[in-house]
Amino acid sequence: MRIGVDIRSLIEPYPSGVSVYTEKLLRAMVRIGSEHTFHLFCSGLTSLPRSITHWLTAEPRVTLTHQRWPNKLSNLIHIGLGRPYLDTAVGGVDVWFMPNMMFGQVSRHTPLVLTVHDLSFRYPNFFNHRGNWWHRLVRPGHLMRQSQRIISVSENTKRDIVATYGIAPERITVIQLGIEAQLFAAVPDQAVEKIRNRYHLERPYVLSIGTVNPRKNIDGLIAAWGIVTRQTQGAYELIIAGHAGMSRSNAQLSRVRFVDYVPEADKPAWYRGAAAFVYPSYFEGFGLPILEAMAARVPVVTSAAPALGEVGSDGVLMTDPYDAAGLAEAIFRVLQDHDLRRALIARGSARVQQFSWERAAQATLATLMTASKL
């Protein structure tokens, strides 16, 4: 089977969870799908990261079409003309896989499989003006209705899709993300010490990783941290790491430090060195960071958002994201209650074993094959 894959998310300057999903899933699909060929498409003046191009050139069953037009121009052409078709741009395929919602269409005879990570775009307060316009122009509902099959990363997102867009449940397959658990569990002490030295971390720290935007509830976390700081007499520092999508006006608060975007290669050491991981997001489609933290054997405090409970199960401590005092109490318990810490670490480590990129790749290939026969 000739599989077309849209990999435009891989040229993002600050790769997000969608980029991690696209790369890890694609690598696993190529690894286990030996009977298939993969025809990748990206656009823009920016080159793919060297690590990806190096991998691509070593794979004889993978071809890459890089359309060297400015992305703004490409998007305008796709919006206005619906051309060129993505599948024809790579020479024709049996099925087209879009790992996230993007501009562009495929020709009528090519089945489309679309991954929907969440419907956070339905909440305008989570995005700035530009982000809200982008989602309107990409027309999520049209893309979903155009797709022969939809992959949802959680049961919660599937329910949202059915309720919001009226998509038939049988057209939606839930395939959860994976994790390279060993990569996060087997972090040498030298790597953790290197992070501590580079950022002059003199105190134990509590970590929160993710794009810094309103959906992640950073203001609520900072409010809760003020309570924790008083309870612990300033014994811990809060590290909020991620590309800034909002103001950092509260960064001057005691024992709160913002760190810019953390490269994927550094994440395991950041997690491993933390006293706890906190992810109090208001809304998520999956919540990959809590899976990464559990794999690193770090106790996790997260919000009671349905998708996060679906992923974390009994391996995390959940709290109301709208209750700063409750969030502070949960963080304090995880820092001070050693029995709770041990239980969360043990249950989290067991929970992580249920997720793998190979499992996700097998299910995705099966979905692509089904769609190609429709």
Side-chain angles (χ1 to χ4, degrees):
M1 181 169 61
R2 289 172 56 87
I3 302 172
V5 186
D6 186 337
I7 63 166
R8 283 177 284 178
S9 67
L10 298 186
I11 61 173
E12 291 180 2
Y14 301 101
S16 61
V18 169
S19 306
V20 173
Y21 166 80
T22 301
E23 180 182 355
K24 299 294 187 182
L25 182 66
L26 178 60
R27 285 178 183 265
M29 287 198 300
V30 171
R31 189 163 55 246
I32 68 176
S34 57
E35 69 273 32
H36 308 300
T37 58
F38 298 83
H39 306 271
L40 316 183
F41 173 85
C42 68
S43 63
L45 301 179
T46 305
S47 297
L48 286 164
R50 187 174 300 176
S51 60
I52 295 174
T53 55
H54 178 74
W55 168 68
L56 290 176
T57 56
E59 292 290 347
R61 291 180 293 108
V62 178
T63 64
L64 171 66
T65 299
H66 192 152
Q67 201 173 70
R68 297 279 179 178
W69 298 352
N71 271 326
K72 287 184 179 178
L73 176 60
S74 294
N75 292 343
L76 283 172
I77 293 173
H78 283 302
I79 292 168
L81 302 176
R83 302 288 193 280
Y85 290 134
L86 299 177
D87 54 322
T88 57
V90 300
V93 292
D94 298 311
V95 62
W96 187 264
F97 178 40
M98 194 175 278
N100 63 307
M101 288 182 280
M102 294 287 279
F103 293 104
Q105 298 182 37
V106 295
S107 51
R108 243 182 344 180
H109 62 273
T110 299
L112 171 65
V113 175
L114 169 70
T115 296
V116 178
H117 295 268
D118 61 61
L119 301 192
S120 58
F121 51 83
R122 294 178 55 237
Y123 302 89
N125 56 306
F126 289 160
F127 297 92
N128 58 24
H129 184 69
R130 180 180 177 184
N132 283 315
W133 266 109
W134 189 93
H135 283 105
R136 286 187 196 129
L137 292 172
V138 83
R139 301 168 66 198
H142 174 76
L143 268 177
M144 289 185 229
R145 286 185 285 270
Q146 186 185 25
S147 304
Q148 273 66 38
R149 285 288 185 272
I150 294 171
I151 293 172
S152 167
V153 298
S154 65
E155 292 288 350
N156 183 67
T157 296
K158 177 177 179 176
R159 288 192 293 269
D160 285 349
I161 294 169
V162 173
T164 305
Y165 295 101
I167 304 294
E170 58 269 21
R171 288 178 53 200
I172 307 170
T173 302
V174 175
I175 304 175
Q176 295 177 314
L177 278 63
I179 182 78
E180 294 174 288
Q182 190 62 19
L183 183 67
F184 291 88
V187 180
D189 292 340
Q190 303 94 302
V192 176
E193 193 60 29
K194 184 178 178 181
I195 292 293
R196 286 189 172 280
N197 292 335
R198 186 191 309 170
Y199 292 91
H200 308 289
L201 301 173
E202 298 176 357
R203 293 177 177 80
Y205 65 88
V206 170
L207 179 66
S208 185
I209 285 183
T211 303
V212 181
N213 63 35
R215 179 161 63 102
K216 303 300 182 180
N217 191 22
I218 300 302
D219 285 343
L221 174 57
I222 290 173
W225 189 252
I227 301 172
V228 175
T229 297
R230 291 192 294 273
Q231 291 174 323
T232 60
Q233 298 181 333
Y236 297 86
E237 185 173 22
L238 173 64
I239 304 293
I240 300 174
H243 176 56
M246 63 172 281
S247 170
R248 290 178 170 179
S249 59
N250 288 322
Q252 73 274 15
L253 291 176
S254 176
R255 304 289 183 258
V256 178
R257 194 194 312 190
F258 284 91
V259 173
D260 276 332
Y261 175 78
V262 173
E264 288 299 312
D266 290 345
K267 276 186 178 181
W270 270 108
Y271 284 117
R272 191 68 168 157
F277 180 73
V278 185
Y279 199 68
S281 181
Y282 290 123
F283 187 94
E284 290 293 329
F286 184 80
L288 184 59
I290 69 171
L291 199 59
E292 294 172 338
M294 289 192 294
R297 300 185 61 80
V298 175
V300 174
V301 175
T302 191
S303 68
L308 294 175
E310 193 177 322
V311 174
S313 188
D314 65 348
V316 298
L317 183 61
M318 305 192 77
T319 186
D320 182 353
Y322 296 93
D323 179 7
L327 176 58
E329 180 185 355
I331 296 171
F332 182 75
R333 283 185 60 202
V334 163
L335 293 175
Q336 301 297 317
D337 187 335
H338 296 292
D339 289 337
L340 175 61
R341 289 178 61 82
R342 283 192 289 269
L344 287 174
I345 289 170
R347 293 198 297 261
S349 298
R351 177 67 177 158
V352 162
Q353 303 309 312
Q354 300 179 38
F355 300 84
S356 76
W357 288 115
E358 283 69 24
R359 189 175 301 169
Q362 288 171 347
T364 301
L365 286 170
T367 302
L368 292 171
M369 291 185 70
T370 299
S372 71
K373 298 172 183 176
L374 294 177

